[in-house]
Amino acid sequence: MAWWIEPALTVVSYVGFFAYATWSVFSGTYVFADPYVSPFFSTWIGFGTFKLPVIGLLVPFLAVIPLGLRVTCYYYRKEYYRAFFRDPTACARGEGVRGRYTGETRFPLVLWNLHRYALLLTIVVTVFLGVDVVRAFIYHGHFFVGLGSVVMLVNVILLSGYTFSCHSLRHLAGGGLDCYSCVKAGKARHRLADALNRLNPRHGWFAWVSMFSVGLTDIYVRLVMAGFHEPRWIA
Amino acid sequence: MSDTTLLVFRGDSIKTGTEQPFQVPVQEGMVVLDAIHWIQAHAATDLACRWNCKAAKCGSCSAEINGRPRLMCKTRLDEFAGEPIHVWPMRAFPLIKDLVTDVAWNYLVNAEITPFTPKTDEPVPYRMAADDVERVFEFRRCIECFLCQDVCHVLRDHDQKAAYYGPRYMVRIAGLEMHPKDTVNRTALLHREAGIGMCNITKCCQDVCPEHIRITDNAIIPLKERVAGRYYDPIAWVGRKLFGSKAD
Amino acid sequence: MSDATQTYTHDVLIIGAGGAGLRAAIEAAAGGASVGVVCKSLLGKAHTVMAEGGIAAALGNVDPQDNWQVHFQDTMRGGALINNWRMAELHATESPDRVYELETWGAIFDRTPDGRILQRPFGAHTYRRLCHVGDRTGLEMIRTLQDRVVALRIAVYMEVTLTRLLKDGDRIAGATGYNRQTGDFVTFRSKAVVLASGGWGRIYKVTSNSWEGTGDGVAMGFEAGAEVLDPEMVQFHPTGMVWPPGVKGLLVTEAVRGEGGYLFNSEHKRFMLDYEPEKKELASRDKVARAIYKEVQAGRGSPHGGAFLDVIHLGSDRIKKKLPSMYDQFLSLADVDITREAMEVYPTIHYAMGGLRVEPDTGATTVRGLYAAGEVAAGLHGANRLGGNSLSDLLVFGRRAGAAAAQFVKSVSLGALDPASVADEQRLLLGSLEGAGSENPYLLQQELQAAMQEGAGIARTDAGLRTCLQTILALKRRADNVHVAGSRLYNPGWHTARDLRFMLVISEAIVRGAIERRESRGAHWRTDFPNADPNFGKLNLIALKDGDAMRITTRPVPEMPDELADLFNGEVRQKSA
């Protein structure tokens, strides 16, 4: 495989995803087809007495959180520094950009040190999405399984995989300790950090597939809204 | 037995040196270093290269083979299916001659790192739990081939050797920081002299490591997280102000 | 490059930066001496880095019955009782402290469940005794010592080859040689020199040794008048790789058998059950090497002329955890997945038991101010070394030599520099560049390696040894006629031209010693004298410079005191008897 294929695919995918997500969030449509909701939106907000106005205000704000996680993510950083900034283009292939290099020591890149906050907020969002998945299995008060329920479940598993394989989470969970047996609850923290450490090598894989699964789930809910007759196994 | 062509860099300056072609007879399982040895014995006795163990344990025979930093003793000729093989010295360091570069800078950097410092009254023999030391084994696998230093674009392309220690020494510092009996905190060193912020985690070091150390994921990023906690995390800063400064 | 000779001065000059050299440097510096360490390669690349299986020390962490007395007996028996008992005693008693000391400098060994150093079984060690880190123990050791030397700010001169020891009368005054990078000549003036320059495996064709093992130290010591003890004792490690040809001789660690690997012949018979029913695969190295040799001679070898070494039954997880570099080595170099297929192995040259004769307690050679430690010194291992004993040898005797040198330099002043000797050496060095010779140093080296493999290999005869000696003497004359192209700037051909002379000196000593020892003992196997001879069992052989020639004489094996002799239940003579 030629060295430029990977960066080219990266550019196309990232631009495509960002464009689609922005369009979806700001399209003015609340992407909801009972009991399904797009992962860019959430049923938690706007149910009951509130409704659309609040959704309209909050959704773009909420959608920004996972986007923030991805922008500051150690894996995405590698991909876009290489593909977009060609810094470096590929290993031992020279630089695309001339001029003084400062790495991640200056504004704005120095802000990426706050990755852990994007992570913590995303964990909250992921809980919201999890509840949405539970609701996708309940239709008019009954247990229900449609293709959309499965799509949403798979999506949230992939998103969780991405979130929980995060380097910052591993650090906060126990990777930051020098000596597990020297602190309280060290054994538990070692187990947790160790488990996250085993998940970590798949961080890049989760990043890619979860990005596609979010977009595809949104498209799927829109299809159902547009009248697509999906297979339903338990209705 | 067939022949293959090696195009080996010759010269004592990267500007004036040129590739010189050599036809080398190939035996099964031969590696690039074997071919270089054949050239030394039969075609160019003064061809300069470093090597020691020929078993990927010492990290001496680093070179750039078809543009990729690799160990010559671990790169098999049959991988190239008879195509010409370009063998060049590491480009991030000053050339001495042919395939040999001056890697002294690495040793100077190494000497700046605060060494292992246990408690003075730590009872000997040490007791250390397997759980506490297993992370460190990965970092101690390093054979100091300097391929990660060679491929790191901060050192190689931007020549920022004054601002960044490079991946090899991030690995060494990670091994010291995560050692359960070490008492020194090197977060300030990482932030300032070692220049960890210069790394933009593009992972080429991890790609070329012959020991398969996950340099970026397991050494540099955890250290970046420690620096973030010490210098950039506002809540951690407030916490330190309120509950005393237990740095990271 | 320049014609001027750079001169450096230290109290103690240490030649070699492997385990022994670095440990000696640390101790000499602690003793208050100004120390300079010279190494031919970059720091951290010395042969110690290749040690895999572990370091032997009777900690008793896994087998509490173990103690120094048992380690002492194992070492003496393994060496067929021509070892120096005092060295074996010091080694067995001090190894545990040297291992623990490494951990205080940052080393980490594999752990027992209760957090102590884990120990694995190894050939001819009665108990599980080898402290290890997977199969990269040597790397852990060299990196720890290297870091310690750097932390102590000890001067290290990398890529410098010293080629001649300088004397002032009968005492050492320094050494001279050249900088490999620039080709500049260098001279070190010092009150004491510690040789820690390793072995000479490179004189054989099939070897596990790196290019550095050319015997510089032993040859320089010999030229300076030191005695060379038991040079004929060269160890064949039973398991080197045999295929593909490029990696022939590459070491397959004994830890493979220590972890439970089996040896099979082509009939899938576990032949070690017949040769050594008790210790089987974990018999001493000389015995296992001979067994593999005999199986192949009898036509029961593997397709590429070796034996099968099989670890499949250990399971993939255990192999990858305890033998990771073996797994990687076979997969990347031989396309063999050792979790699914057997390895093919055959004996490979590994270690020199012989070397400079030293005082057990100090490492002092017979030349005043010259010390030796590690593989270049002799005495500890006798006729055969046990696996894991060399790493502990480096630490125990590296420390002792460093301490003794630091003590010695307190009472002496710097010796006078002998300009004639320096000029003579530089003339010799320049000969291959400036002379009108026609011989290629690499090809001469290959001829020597082939001759030694053939004539002084695992199975020796008087006729074969004498033929080999004639080849060596002829090569000695041809070595004067070597010519190399290029300049002095990093010129490996030029370096090899000088190395060749060292290799010829030690090759001659090995062959002359092997001719004299008309018996089979330990690693020395004479097919024309297949049994041990009790008379030779009382003798160490000595190679000594006599004018321009080499002379072989003998010395009685030192007799151990009664309290140690008692440990052997009458197998060894009592001094009082």
Side-chain angles (χ1 to χ4, degrees):
Chain A
M1 192 168 83
W3 63 268
W4 52 267
I5 292 178
E6 194 190 329
L9 282 177
T10 305
V11 170
V12 170
S13 310
Y14 287 10
V15 170
F17 176 74
F18 184 76
Y20 179 78
T22 310
W23 170 79
S24 179
V25 167
F26 291 100
S27 63
T29 312
Y30 176 46
V31 185
F32 175 80
D34 199 22
Y36 308 141
V37 64
S38 156
F40 291 131
F41 300 79
S42 173
T43 52
W44 273 34
I45 304 154
F47 259 48
T49 48
F50 304 104
K51 264 216 166 153
L52 265 178
V54 183
I55 293 167
L57 285 173
L58 280 181
V59 159
F61 175 71
L62 281 177
V64 148
I65 291 173
L67 189 67
L69 182 73
R70 285 177 195 256
V71 168
T72 61
C73 163
Y74 287 106
Y75 176 76
Y76 277 91
R77 274 144 80 177
K78 168 205 163 195
E79 291 290 310
Y80 64 72
Y81 289 139
R82 281 197 192 185
F84 285 78
F85 299 99
R86 300 183 56 207
D87 197 11
T89 315
C91 299
R93 291 266 172 206
E95 299 291 283
V97 185
R98 303 248 163 239
R100 193 168 146 67
Y101 172 86
T102 55
E104 298 187 322
T105 60
R106 301 285 161 84
F107 183 83
L109 299 184
V110 72
L111 291 180
W112 292 180
N113 280 305
L114 298 175
H115 183 48
R116 56 187 63 177
Y117 289 99
L119 167 76
L120 294 172
L121 292 171
T122 302
I123 291 175
V124 175
V125 173
T126 309
V127 172
F128 275 55
L129 294 177
V131 172
D132 285 340
V133 170
V134 172
R135 292 184 175 192
F137 284 89
I138 302 164
Y139 190 53
H140 295 303
H142 297 288
F143 181 59
F144 162 88
V145 181
L147 179 57
S149 324
V150 176
V151 167
M152 286 178 63
L153 178 64
V154 170
N155 177 52
V156 89
I157 289 172
L158 295 174
L159 278 173
S160 305
Y162 173 59
T163 308
F164 290 107
S165 57
C166 166
H167 297 82
S168 281
L169 186 61
R170 180 180 61 177
H171 171 78
L172 296 172
L177 296 173
D178 294 341
C179 175
Y180 295 105
S181 56
C182 313
V183 297
K184 269 185 222 153
K187 208 161 187 86
R189 293 189 71 181
H190 174 259
R191 271 202 208 133
L192 184 57
D194 195 46
L196 296 175
N197 194 37
R198 258 176 269 201
L199 209 52
N200 179 266
R202 297 192 187 89
H203 196 45
W205 183 82
F206 277 124
W208 276 101
V209 296
S210 67
M211 186 174 86
F212 283 109
S213 75
V214 168
L216 290 173
T217 307
D218 182 85
I219 291 172
Y220 185 82
V221 179
R222 284 174 182 273
L223 280 175
V224 177
M225 283 174 81
F228 168 62
H229 285 282
E230 61 161 12
R232 296 185 169 187
W233 295 287
I234 301 173
Chain B
M1 198 158 74
S2 60
D3 279 12
T4 199
T5 304
L6 262 77
L7 295 154
V8 184
F9 177 88
R10 301 296 311 273
D12 53 16
S13 144
I14 206 80
K15 290 208 177 83
T16 59
T18 51
E19 279 188 342
Q20 192 179 335
F22 296 98
Q23 289 290 118
V24 178
V26 179
Q27 275 189 310
E28 194 174 342
M30 221 165 129
V31 293
V32 171
L33 185 59
D34 291 321
I36 295 291
H37 285 161
W38 189 92
I39 294 168
Q40 283 183 327
H42 298 97
T45 54
D46 62 338
L47 172 62
C49 85
R50 281 199 184 99
W51 72 284
N52 282 65
C53 74
K54 213 175 107 50
K57 289 188 168 60
C58 74
S60 298
C61 62
S62 305
E64 298 188 6
I65 300 162
N66 286 359
R68 185 178 167 77
R70 305 178 70 167
L71 294 178
M72 291 195 281
C73 70
K74 236 188 153 181
T75 307
R76 296 204 3 201
L77 296 179
D78 50 18
E79 198 184 298
F80 302 94
E83 293 294 308
I85 303 166
H86 301 263
V87 188
W88 280 63
M90 290 194 283
R91 302 293 295 276
F93 307 112
L95 183 70
I96 292 175
K97 187 183 136 188
D98 302 341
L99 302 177
V100 176
T101 52
D102 180 0
V103 294
W105 174 75
N106 295 289
Y107 289 90
L108 297 177
V109 167
N110 187 44
E112 287 180 28
I113 298 169
T114 323
F116 175 70
T117 314
K119 272 193 284 191
T120 46
D121 59 350
E122 182 73 39
V124 178
Y126 286 2
R127 287 285 184 117
M128 290 187 274
D131 283 356
D132 288 329
V133 297
E134 64 189 15
R135 274 185 304 180
V136 181
F137 286 140
E138 177 179 14
F139 309 130
R140 296 191 68 88
R141 280 211 309 262
C142 172
I143 56 173
E144 296 200 329
C145 62
F146 303 131
L147 289 173
C148 58
Q149 303 286 82
D150 180 48
V151 83
C152 173
H153 72 127
V154 182
L155 308 174
R156 180 192 183 91
D157 298 304
H158 300 293
D159 198 24
Q160 296 261 20
K161 292 196 179 77
Y164 182 44
Y165 281 3
R168 157 58 189 137
Y169 297 103
M170 296 299 125
V171 169
R172 171 148 190 244
I173 294 173
L176 288 164
E177 286 291 275
M178 296 181 200
H179 193 301
K181 299 289 183 203
D182 181 73
T183 57
V184 173
N185 187 317
R186 295 168 188 79
T187 313
L189 177 85
L190 283 166
H191 184 50
R192 301 199 182 92
E193 292 85 352
I196 195 169
M198 295 300 279
C199 166
N200 70 348
I201 52 174
T202 36
K203 281 199 181 171
C204 290
C205 51
Q206 185 161 319
D207 286 352
V208 301
C209 179
E211 281 292 306
H212 314 297
I213 300 171
R214 300 185 67 229
I215 300 175
T216 319
D217 284 318
N218 290 354
I220 300 182
I221 293 174
L223 294 177
K224 270 184 175 265
E225 284 293 319
R226 288 169 186 229
V227 170
R230 175 73 180 78
Y231 291 97
Y232 298 104
D233 187 330
I235 294 179
W237 180 80
V238 170
R240 279 196 300 274
K241 288 290 163 198
L242 289 177
F243 306 111
S245 67
K246 196 173 150 278
D248 221 16
Chain C
M1 101 196 73
S2 74
D3 285 337
T5 301
Q6 288 163 322
T7 304
Y8 304 92
T9 304
H10 289 282
D11 292 334
V12 178
L13 170 66
I14 291 170
I15 302 178
L22 296 178
R23 187 64 190 82
I26 291 165
E27 201 65 20
S34 144
V35 178
V37 179
V38 170
C39 52
K40 294 201 287 182
S41 292
L42 299 170
L43 183 58
K45 310 296 183 194
H47 217 286
T48 305
V49 84
M50 291 180 73
E52 294 166 348
I55 173 166
L59 311 180
N61 283 355
V62 183
D63 291 317
Q65 316 89 306
D66 199 12
N67 57 41
W68 75 263
Q69 286 94 340
V70 183
H71 192 183
F72 169 76
Q73 291 172 71
D74 288 346
T75 301
M76 292 296 294
R77 285 210 177 91
L81 298 170
I82 59 166
N83 329 43
N84 182 304
W85 65 267
R86 174 66 178 159
M87 289 179 86
E89 181 191 21
L90 289 170
H91 170 255
T93 51
E94 293 180 4
S95 296
D97 284 344
R98 298 288 79 75
V99 171
Y100 289 138
E101 181 178 72
L102 283 183
E103 289 214 321
T104 69
W105 295 339
I108 303 178
F109 292 93
D110 282 356
R111 315 309 293 176
T112 61
D114 62 350
R116 296 183 296 164
I117 295 174
L118 183 62
Q119 299 183 276
R120 68 160 48 120
F122 234 58
H125 287 283
T126 304
Y127 298 111
R128 286 172 284 183
R129 190 178 285 147
L130 265 75
C131 316
H132 60 278
V133 194
D135 52 8
R136 54 161 194 84
T137 314
L139 174 66
E140 184 71 13
M141 192 162 125
I142 198 112
R143 203 63 81 228
T144 303
L145 294 170
Q146 173 186 346
D147 288 345
R148 183 76 183 158
V149 161
V150 169
L152 295 171
R153 308 278 165 203
I154 293 171
V156 179
Y157 303 84
M158 296 195 285
E159 300 202 303
V160 169
T161 304
L162 295 178
T163 50
R164 182 180 299 216
L165 295 173
L166 301 173
K167 287 171 79 176
D168 175 8
D170 69 341
R171 59 173 279 225
I172 278 293
T176 192
Y178 61 90
N179 178 320
R180 301 175 75 84
Q181 290 187 6
T182 60
D184 290 342
F185 292 127
V186 292
T187 292
F188 285 83
R189 299 186 63 189
S190 67
K191 300 174 187 173
V193 171
V194 179
L195 280 170
S197 52
W200 36 91
R202 210 68 207 166
I203 57 177
Y204 286 85
K205 191 168 151 192
V206 179
T207 176
S208 63
N209 284 193
S210 84
W211 69 266
E212 291 197 293
T214 48
D216 317 11
V218 75
M220 279 194 283
F222 171 84
E223 298 289 350
E227 292 181 10
V228 180
L229 183 85
D230 293 334
E232 73 281 9
M233 293 302 177
V234 178
Q235 179 165 72
F236 293 79
H237 193 290
T239 59
M241 287 175 81
V242 287
W243 188 259
V247 297
K248 194 166 184 177
L250 204 62
L251 187 65
V252 178
T253 173
E254 188 164 334
V256 173
R257 283 172 287 136
E259 291 293 331
Y262 298 144
L263 284 164
F264 293 108
N265 62 20
S266 61
E267 295 159 3
H268 202 70
K269 185 168 182 219
R270 222 181 129 193
F271 55 87
M272 286 313 295
L273 296 175
D274 294 342
Y275 289 93
E276 294 289 326
E278 203 173 311
K279 291 178 175 160
K280 307 184 239 333
E281 278 84 359
L282 289 179
S284 61
R285 287 176 171 174
D286 51 341
K287 291 175 180 143
V288 181
R290 263 199 298 281
I292 295 175
Y293 175 87
K294 285 178 180 168
E295 286 300 303
V296 173
Q297 290 295 309
R300 294 188 290 270
S302 66
H304 300 109
F308 292 108
L309 177 58
D310 191 330
V311 288
I312 302 167
H313 58 282
L314 299 178
S316 178
D317 287 349
R318 170 118 177 255
I319 292 168
K320 286 177 188 169
K321 179 152 193 245
K322 298 303 274 188
L323 305 165
S325 66
M326 283 302 108
Y327 173 74
D328 200 46
Q329 178 174 312
F330 273 88
L331 199 60
S332 62
L333 298 176
D335 299 324
V336 170
D337 178 349
I338 65 170
T339 65
R340 296 154 175 274
E341 301 163 74
M343 298 163 251
E344 280 186 72
V345 294
Y346 191 73
T348 179
I349 290 290
H350 188 56
Y351 187 86
M353 275 76 70
L356 297 174
R357 190 170 77 84
V358 292
E359 286 297 316
D361 291 71
T362 61
T365 67
T366 40
V367 177
R368 209 165 144 247
L370 180 64
Y371 298 79
E375 192 173 349
V376 69
L380 170 61
H381 307 295
N384 172 61
R385 175 174 72 80
L386 300 192
N389 268 2
S390 98
L391 290 186
S392 36
D393 172 10
L394 305 180
L395 296 175
V396 168
F397 294 101
R399 174 180 158 278
R400 285 187 159 270
Q407 188 61 36
F408 172 77
V409 300
K410 283 180 184 159
S411 58
V412 295
S413 56
L414 210 57
L417 190 67
D418 176 6
S421 184
V422 173
D424 198 38
E425 178 60 29
Q426 294 181 354
R427 244 192 324 278
L428 185 71
L429 281 164
L430 290 173
S432 60
L433 273 172
E434 295 171 353
S438 56
E439 298 278 4
N440 175 326
Y442 292 103
L443 301 183
L444 289 193
Q445 185 181 328
Q446 286 173 11
E447 280 188 48
L448 172 66
Q449 289 165 337
M452 289 298 288
Q453 195 76 32
E454 176 69 28
I458 188 166
R460 300 166 171 180
T461 63
D462 185 72
L465 287 163
R466 287 186 192 278
T467 310
C468 185
L469 182 61
Q470 291 313 311
T471 309
I472 291 167
L473 296 176
L475 283 168
K476 257 183 150 171
R477 289 188 292 274
R478 289 168 66 192
D480 288 333
N481 197 30
V482 157
H483 180 73
V484 291
S487 71
R488 277 151 64 186
L489 182 70
Y490 215 112
N491 186 341
W494 182 51
H495 305 161
T496 303
R498 186 67 183 90
D499 293 344
L500 182 63
R501 293 176 186 273
F502 295 131
M503 296 167 86
L504 286 163
V505 170
I506 186 60
S507 296
E508 183 181 345
I510 290 171
V511 173
R512 286 191 188 279
I515 289 171
E516 287 306 312
R517 193 176 275 283
R518 289 177 302 280
E519 65 157 349
S520 291
R521 180 174 299 274
H524 176 67
W525 180 28
R526 286 279 300 262
T527 51
D528 45 356
F529 296 94
N531 300 314
D533 177 341
N535 291 319
F536 274 111
K538 296 176 201 156
L539 295 175
N540 292 124
L541 299 187
I542 301 283
L544 195 60
K545 191 173 166 71
D546 187 1
D548 277 340
M550 182 181 288
R551 189 157 55 89
I552 301 290
T553 62
T554 60
R555 278 181 178 276
V557 173
E559 285 178 39
M560 64 179 90
D562 289 351
E563 69 271 21
L564 291 176
D566 284 345
L567 295 169
F568 292 87
N569 303 321
E571 281 172 57
V572 293
R573 282 171 307 143
Q574 303 275 326
K575 201 170 190 176
S576 45

